[in-house]
Amino acid sequence: MKHQLQFRVNGSTAILRCDSRDTLLNILRDGLGLTGTKDSCSAGSCGACNVLLNGDLVSACLVLAVEAQGGNIETIEGITADDRVQSVQNRLVESGAVQCGACMPGMVMSIKALLDATDSPSSAQVREALSGNLCRCTGYDVIVEAVKAAGVSQ
Amino acid sequence: MEYHAPRSLTEVTDLLANAGGRAKLMAGGTDLLAQVNKSGHWPAVLVDVKHVPELTALRWLSGGEWSIGAAVTGARLRDSVEFAGAWPGIAEAMGLLGATQTQNRATVGGNICNASPAADLVPTLVAARATCRLVGADSERCVPIEEVIIAPGKTCLRADEVLVEIRLPARAASAADAYLRATPRARMDIAIASAAVNLALDSAGRVSECHVALGGVFPVPVMASSAARTLTGWSSEDDSDTMARFKRQVSAACRPIDDARSTAEYRNEVIGVLAARAARLAWSRAAG
């Protein structure tokens, strides 16, 4: 079954056709070329495809494209508009918290969701917010430290 | 695959009746889409139920009962101060399921109907004495939750039925629940064993009513009724004899297996520890 889709992505309107079986992740990457959102486990286990759908953090691999009809999507490519998230990103880069980098777009989207919901998150809240993102390189501490060092948390 | 997103319960049951067993229901999709992504097997008809008002309502009824729509998300349940006040164990089970991105989509009904032996929410709902309202094209029935899940991955729902709401009974004044699980990782993991305890205290602070349910140690989430009876009259300030007996009876209610995540032997041991800690936690909440 084919669908005509329309939704907002990073502030622009996107119009495209999709199949019922397409996931939001497929159409972001293959339909719209937004490859910053990573395709990793396809099971909702790793957090690499995290995006915001109507303000809620979701795994794009576990959302059908048709479910995004009329919705508002924010991906890593749209994150530049957010100063606080930008300062976290800069600190992640400067402190060597990024190694292979595959997990980072999802990590940053989780941080954005946290900062959207919480003004000055505690260290525990930062850890909880990143608990759904797998990183196989760094061991996490340096990532949590970078978020704290960006001055957005307590 | 046909995709439908009906706006009413009648549309859902009509779609199911017309699909003749070829339809799958989806709410949050966190289990269904993960399975389809892995297997490549799509249902012929997919009915997305998260826009049906009866399934998305979360209500505290005048008699003190709670009604949870089957498509209420984990995040909504977890973040409802009123709900977490009445049922802290259920709320904390929801907070342990996956991570934020999972809880934003995963639903109460989905956790039940996926029928995993290790579902986090189900032991808390069994211990809460929850009932499920199942609606078909020409039928409606209320079934205790422990009768809904009949085998791993299997429910008692007929092909034309949908789980509409979960009802929780009204609470006594001094009552509380608690949920604890064992996992290799603190988050984003499936419980190797889990225990939910729901109890009420009399005016002397002794257990007057108790329900215990276990996950991950039996083909389906299971009640440990004799263990629960052992705690009648118990207070957390008592000596440890009762608790030792309770732990033995909890283990006796289990039929665990060896699998990739743990061994039967370890599950048998840890389930008693989890249940005992959950009982103490529920007692201190109820007493507080």
Side-chain angles (χ1 to χ4, degrees), chain B residues 14-271:
Chain B
D14 284 352
L15 281 162
L16 292 177
N18 293 334
R22 297 178 313 129
K24 270 273 192 192
L25 292 169
M26 180 180 86
T30 53
D31 281 313
L32 181 78
L33 295 177
Q35 287 154 16
V36 169
N37 284 342
K38 193 174 173 194
S39 70
H41 298 311
W42 290 86
V45 180
L46 189 66
V47 182
D48 182 347
V49 295
K50 68 171 134 327
H51 304 290
V52 178
E54 288 95 327
L55 272 76
T56 54
L58 175 61
R59 295 175 299 152
W60 196 3
L61 307 174
S62 54
E65 278 181 281
W66 277 88
S67 163
I68 309 168
V72 166
T73 63
R76 250 179 89 199
L77 208 57
R78 183 199 64 203
D79 293 344
S80 163
V81 175
E82 293 82 9
F83 184 82
W87 294 99
I90 299 177
E92 73 198 349
M94 211 66 246
L96 288 171
L97 199 157
T100 306
Q101 67 267 21
T102 330
Q103 292 159 19
N104 282 340
R105 301 291 285 180
T107 65
V108 177
N111 200 242
I112 296 168
C113 292
N114 188 52
S116 163
D120 278 312
L121 209 49
V122 177
T124 65
L125 295 172
V126 172
R129 313 305 294 128
T131 55
C132 295
R133 185 159 74 94
L134 311 178
V135 175
D138 300 305
S139 69
E140 176 162 345
R141 53 185 178 137
C142 282
V143 180
I145 183 167
E146 62 271 23
E147 291 172 25
V148 172
I149 300 166
I150 55 177
K154 280 208 171 62
T155 67
C156 74
L157 271 74
R158 294 193 311 263
D160 71 315
E161 281 182 318
V162 56
L163 168 57
V164 173
E165 65 171 326
I166 297 93
R167 284 281 185 113
L168 304 180
R171 306 291 263 156
S174 298
D177 63 340
Y179 175 74
L180 291 171
R181 65 176 196 173
T183 51
R185 293 175 61 203
R187 293 287 184 276
M188 294 303 268
D189 211 343
I190 295 167
I192 60 176
S194 63
V197 175
N198 172 32
L199 48 76
L201 305 181
D202 63 19
S203 53
R206 298 201 166 268
V207 172
S208 54
E209 189 186 345
C210 179
H211 304 284
V212 177
L214 314 170
V217 288
F218 204 79
V220 293
V222 65
M223 299 271 284
S225 304
S226 350
R229 275 194 299 275
T230 304
L231 290 192
T232 306
W234 173 76
S235 150
S236 190
E237 283 139 17
D238 288 353
D239 59 34
S240 56
D241 286 359
T242 307
M243 212 22 106
R245 207 161 60 241
F246 173 70
K247 279 162 124 170
R248 281 198 299 278
Q249 284 176 343
V250 164
S251 292
C254 301
R255 221 170 70 209
I257 56 166
D258 291 326
D259 65 10
R261 289 180 291 116
S262 188
T263 62
E265 191 186 1
Y266 182 71
R267 285 187 162 106
N268 227 14
E269 186 68 31
V270 78
I271 192 69

Side-chain angles (χ1 to χ4, degrees), chain A:
Chain A
M1 194 168 165
K2 299 289 174 195
H3 304 265
Q4 181 77 19
L5 271 189
Q6 179 169 341
F7 52 76
R8 303 276 293 169
V9 56
N10 299 330
S12 307
T13 300
I15 299 173
L16 72 163
R17 280 175 71 73
C18 77
D19 187 87
S20 303
R21 295 169 297 183
D22 284 326
T23 62
L24 178 58
L25 177 60
N26 297 151
I27 57 151
L28 287 174
R29 289 179 57 84
D30 303 334
L32 298 170
L34 295 170
T35 54
T37 304
K38 300 304 178 196
D39 185 357
S40 176
C41 74
S42 302
S45 304
C46 74
C49 69
N50 280 0
V51 299
L52 300 184
L53 171 60
N54 301 325
D56 289 332
L57 190 70
V58 300
S59 300
C61 72
L62 297 186
V63 176
L64 290 175
V66 284
E67 296 181 77
Q69 181 70 275
N72 184 31
I73 295 152
E74 294 163 81
T75 72
I76 191 67
E77 286 86 353
I79 214 84
T80 46
D82 189 323
D83 287 346
R84 294 206 302 166
V85 179
Q86 276 281 281
S87 68
V88 173
Q89 277 186 302
N90 291 338
R91 186 57 74 152
L92 286 166
V93 172
E94 287 158 12
S95 62
V98 182
Q99 290 187 31
C100 93
C103 68
M104 268 304 140
M107 290 262 183
V108 173
M109 295 311 293
S110 294
I111 293 163
K112 168 151 176 72
L114 171 69
L115 295 178
D116 285 351
T118 315
D119 258 342
S120 183
S122 66
S123 192
Q125 284 173 310
V126 172
R127 282 194 175 272
E128 186 71 46
L130 291 173
S131 66
N133 294 85
L134 288 187
C135 170
R136 300 289 77 177
C137 303
T138 64
Y140 305 104
D141 275 348
V142 64
I143 296 170
V144 174
E145 289 307 316
V147 177
K148 286 198 275 184
V152 293
S153 66
Q154 286 164 24

